[in-house]
Amino acid sequence: MRKRAMWILLGSLGLLHLAIIFAGFLAPYDPAAQNREFPYAAPSRLDFVGGNRPHFRPFVCVPELSDEHCVQYPMHFFVHGSEYRILGLLRSNLHLFGVEEPGRVFLLGTDSFGRDEFSRLVYGGQISLAAGLVATFLALLAATVIGILSGYYGGWMDESLMGWAELFLALPWLYFLLVIRALLPLHASPPATFLLLTAVIGVIGWARPARLIRGIVLSARSREYVTAARGFGGSDFYLLRRHVLPQTLGVLLTQAALLVPQYVAAEVTLSFFGLGVSEPMPSWGNMMSVLQQYGVLVSYSWLLAPAIALVVTSVMYWLLADTIRYWIQSQ
């Protein structure tokens, strides 16, 4: 049962990341495209019945003069529209769905500038998830190097490195992150801001996984088979590669599943307060920044979509971490 749940969870996470990678294909519009005649438009309702007869394809009803009179625009699939890049390399203008002009389909409504929220949600996921994944990689890379050096060689190196780890663990990371980000340039280009953001988040989070890896290395280096391999002339590099590093894999996987949602939330927090990726490039954080206005929060509930996406993503990663932990214990 656990194995089936693990595969279902991995499949769901895989589909989520594929949807984010192919955001341009899923999104019907460019995330920066404005429709000033549709500010705060409610999500489009897809119907299959119109004019007292059923339709074989869904359509949207766009009001013409009043809410009682509207024009029906059938949904078309695999349509051509605005150009985008897949992974920044492949150009394409093929979209999964769309309607003919002058119709509009807003699955999750629009913001104050009439920008399609669904398109911005999937494009914003590219920034937020990429920040979490890259920052996790940086943090675990630093944690692996520091944890191995500290645990394997011990002595003054262990004391100094773990002293720094204790210092980083004692700091309130959110305030520390805000201070460091505030010291960096506020008017950098979006790509530069993204790189600075991920680097700062990744550097801050190395301490806890480094302590865990250190503990595993301390235990592994005293095992009898490691001592025997050292007695037969095995070098430190061979012992680390062959006997020590494989034992850290489970902890690294678990920590990765735990750190990704934390770092996604960190990016969302910074962007929410205007210290992260800025407009017009969407991220889940700057999409939610408009919710600081109470009137918008209580009147346009569809603008909560990025918050829901953040919660769903975080829960999926936490369940993955729990599944990995159970798999390690059952080995």
Side-chain angles (χ1 to χ4, degrees):
M1 190 67 180
R2 281 270 189 168
K3 183 178 289 188
R4 181 182 302 177
M6 181 182 70
W7 286 113
I8 292 175
L9 186 60
L10 288 174
S12 301
L13 275 172
L15 289 176
L16 171 65
H17 288 81
L18 281 176
I20 297 302
I21 291 173
F22 294 98
F25 173 70
L26 292 177
Y29 305 111
D30 186 292
Q34 300 182 9
N35 300 278
R36 293 302 183 99
E37 64 272 24
F38 297 108
Y40 294 123
S44 301
R45 190 181 70 181
L46 300 181
D47 291 315
F48 286 87
V49 178
N52 297 324
R53 62 186 181 88
H55 294 256
F56 291 103
R57 69 171 63 192
F59 65 88
V60 295
C61 191
V62 179
E64 189 176 31
L65 298 176
S66 67
D67 292 339
E68 298 179 356
H69 300 85
C70 63
V71 179
Q72 297 178 1
Y73 292 94
M75 184 87 74
H76 297 282
F77 297 94
F78 302 105
V79 299
H80 293 279
S82 59
E83 190 176 88
Y84 58 89
R85 289 177 179 267
I86 301 174
L87 296 176
L89 300 174
L90 304 177
R91 293 179 178 269
S92 178
N93 63 356
L94 184 66
H95 298 264
L96 178 61
F97 64 91
V99 296
E100 295 180 356
E101 297 287 347
R104 293 287 189 274
V105 53
F106 302 126
L107 293 184
L108 295 178
T110 66
D111 62 7
S112 59
F113 297 103
R115 296 176 297 190
D116 179 41
E117 276 290 293
F118 177 75
S119 299
R120 290 175 59 77
L121 181 70
V122 291
Y123 271 102
Q126 290 185 333
I127 299 298
S128 298
L129 280 179
L133 292 171
V134 175
T136 298
F137 173 77
L138 294 176
L140 291 182
L141 180 63
T144 301
V145 174
I146 294 173
I148 288 175
L149 292 176
S150 179
Y152 190 80
Y153 293 104
W156 65 269
M157 185 177 295
D158 183 26
E159 294 179 0
S160 59
L161 291 177
M162 288 303 101
W164 278 103
E166 293 290 346
L167 175 61
F168 270 80
L169 288 174
L171 292 172
W173 72 270
L174 179 58
Y175 299 108
F176 187 54
L177 188 62
L178 290 173
V179 170
I180 291 181
R181 180 60 188 93
L183 295 176
L184 297 174
L186 296 178
H187 302 290
S189 63
T193 302
F194 173 78
L195 293 176
L196 289 172
L197 192 64
T198 53
V200 169
I201 295 173
V203 167
I204 287 177
W206 63 269
R208 191 176 302 277
R211 284 169 55 89
L212 295 174
I213 293 172
R214 169 188 175 269
I216 293 176
V217 174
L218 277 173
S219 175
R221 75 173 186 175
S222 60
R223 299 284 176 87
E224 293 182 356
Y225 57 85
V226 177
T227 304
R230 185 182 293 112
F232 280 105
S235 64
D236 290 344
F237 177 76
Y238 171 81
L239 295 176
L240 288 171
R241 178 180 60 84
R242 184 68 177 84
H243 298 294
V244 177
L245 279 178
Q247 298 190 38
T248 65
L249 179 60
V251 171
L252 288 174
L253 291 176
T254 305
Q255 285 297 301
L258 291 172
L259 289 177
V260 169
Q262 291 182 23
Y263 292 159
V264 171
E267 184 280 327
V268 169
T269 302
L270 289 175
S271 296
F272 180 80
F273 289 114
L275 297 174
V277 178
S278 58
E279 297 282 1
M281 181 179 290
S283 79
W284 290 348
N286 62 32
M287 288 177 65
M288 288 193 293
S289 62
V290 68
L291 298 178
Q292 298 179 54
Q293 305 174 36
Y294 179 75
V296 174
L297 177 62
V298 299
S299 300
Y300 310 112
S301 59
W302 56 85
L303 296 179
L304 288 169
I308 297 173
L310 174 63
V311 171
V312 171
T313 303
S314 299
V315 169
M316 292 176 69
Y317 270 103
W318 291 335
L319 292 175
L320 178 62
D322 184 65
T323 304
I324 294 173
R325 188 181 302 113
Y326 174 81
W327 172 72
I328 294 172
Q329 293 174 354
S330 63
Q331 295 300 309

